[in-house]
């Protein structure tokens, strides 16, 4: 399954918030337009697409991975439990809707389920829009972004090399690496601020007294 590397909605500025809102609006409209131009095929197990649906399908294919990332970054799962009809039989399974959008007929799933998930994600980003504005104006937000980029870079590289970067990042080693980077960054930021304000020598003296040096 595609691995999410996008920052969560609470850790983005207003420009990225607006970009994701615009993207979700386009994606939702594409999904609606696609199914509006499809008809159920034989026994309802497939879709018959007209020319418009085939063109929209191309756009949806290009949007699929980003749609998955943007919705999941809003804290919303795109997975539903599929229970086959008793007369057909089979086993209960979890179906990821974004990447299986063109298999809805096979699973007898309603397109509205995916539309609802996209709209819920829109609501999350809209409600967080004011906080995103505040983050954008906060200089410490950018320091946090820089530290986050440094801390995540080894795991993003691992992902590009085909390794499970997401699992590595959430492991004990990943937590330790991120903690060390954040602590080092916090100390460096504090020293820079103290130096800018002219209190660096006093801070050093206070630390020396505290350590008994």
């Amino acid at each position: 399954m595609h691995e999410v590397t996008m920052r969560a909605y609470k850790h983005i500025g207003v420009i990225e918030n607006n970009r994701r809102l615009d993207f979700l609006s386009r994606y939702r409209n594409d999904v609606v337009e696609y199914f509006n131009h499809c008809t159920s095929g034989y026994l309802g197990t497939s879709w018959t697409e007209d020319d418009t649906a085939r063109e929209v399908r191309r756009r949806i294919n290009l949007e699929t991975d980003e749609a998955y990332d943007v919705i999941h970054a809003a804290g919303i799962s795109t997975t539903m439990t599929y229970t086959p009809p008793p007369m057909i039989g089979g086993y209960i399974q979890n179906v990821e809707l974004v990447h299986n959008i063109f298999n809805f007929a096979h699973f007898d799933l309603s397109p509205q389920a995916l539309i609802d998930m996209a709209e819920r994600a829109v609501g999350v980003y809209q409600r967080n829009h004011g906080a995103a504005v505040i983050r954008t104006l906060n200089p410490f937000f950018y320091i946090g972004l820089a530290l986050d980029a440094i801390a995540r870079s080894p795991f993003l590289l691992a992902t590009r090399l085909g390794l499970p970067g997401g699992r590595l990042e959430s492991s004990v080693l990943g937590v330790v690496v991120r903690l060390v980077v954040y602590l080092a960054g916090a100390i460096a930021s504090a020293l820079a601020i103290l130096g800018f304000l002219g209190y660096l020598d006093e801070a050093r003296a206070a630390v020396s007294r505290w350590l008994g040096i």
Side-chain angles (χ1 to χ4, degrees):
M1 181 56 64
H2 175 71
E3 193 169 325
V4 179
T5 58
M6 188 174 284
R7 290 197 303 275
Y9 72 97
K10 291 184 178 180
H11 301 287
I12 60 174
V14 68
I15 295 176
E16 176 64 9
N17 181 284
N18 288 336
R19 189 196 70 81
R20 294 187 191 183
L21 281 171
D22 290 341
F23 173 82
L24 284 171
S25 178
R26 294 196 309 272
Y27 177 75
R28 178 203 174 278
N29 291 340
D30 281 345
V31 172
V32 171
E33 186 175 9
Y34 174 76
F35 286 104
N36 281 342
H37 288 269
C38 289
T39 54
S40 180
Y42 179 66
L43 295 180
T45 58
S46 63
W47 297 107
T48 299
E49 304 171 339
D50 64 13
D51 290 341
T52 299
R54 283 189 285 272
E55 174 59 26
V56 178
R57 179 177 183 141
R58 186 189 68 81
R59 292 204 304 266
I60 291 175
N61 277 325
L62 295 174
E63 298 167 345
T64 293
D65 283 349
E66 185 167 9
Y68 180 88
D69 286 351
V70 172
I71 295 173
H72 275 261
I76 296 172
S77 172
T78 59
T79 301
M80 283 188 65
T81 300
Y82 165 70
T83 304
M87 67 180 65
I88 297 177
Y91 60 93
I92 298 174
Q93 58 183 301
N94 291 325
V95 179
E96 198 287 300
L97 300 189
V98 174
H99 288 91
N100 284 286
I101 182 173
F102 304 121
N103 297 320
F104 279 15
H106 173 74
F107 292 109
D108 193 27
L109 293 173
S110 168
Q112 190 61 46
L114 179 55
I115 295 169
D116 288 344
M117 290 173 179
E119 290 178 345
R120 286 176 57 203
V122 168
V124 170
Y125 287 108
Q126 286 179 338
R127 288 191 298 273
N128 198 250
H129 189 268
V133 172
I134 294 174
R135 286 193 294 270
T136 303
L137 299 175
N138 181 2
F140 291 102
F141 170 67
Y142 300 98
I143 295 175
L145 288 183
L147 294 177
D148 191 57
I150 295 171
R152 298 191 67 190
S153 58
F155 308 106
L156 293 176
L157 177 60
T159 299
R160 291 184 179 276
L161 293 175
L163 300 174
R167 289 201 296 272
L168 290 172
E169 187 174 1
S170 59
S171 67
V172 174
L173 174 62
V175 172
V176 171
V177 170
R178 291 169 69 89
L179 180 61
V180 170
V181 170
Y182 289 141
L183 286 176
I187 292 171
S189 299
L191 292 175
I193 292 172
L194 288 171
F196 177 77
L197 297 175
Y199 293 112
L200 185 57
D201 291 337
E202 289 83 347
R204 286 173 177 170
V207 172
S208 296
R209 289 195 300 271
W210 182 67
L211 295 176
I213 300 176

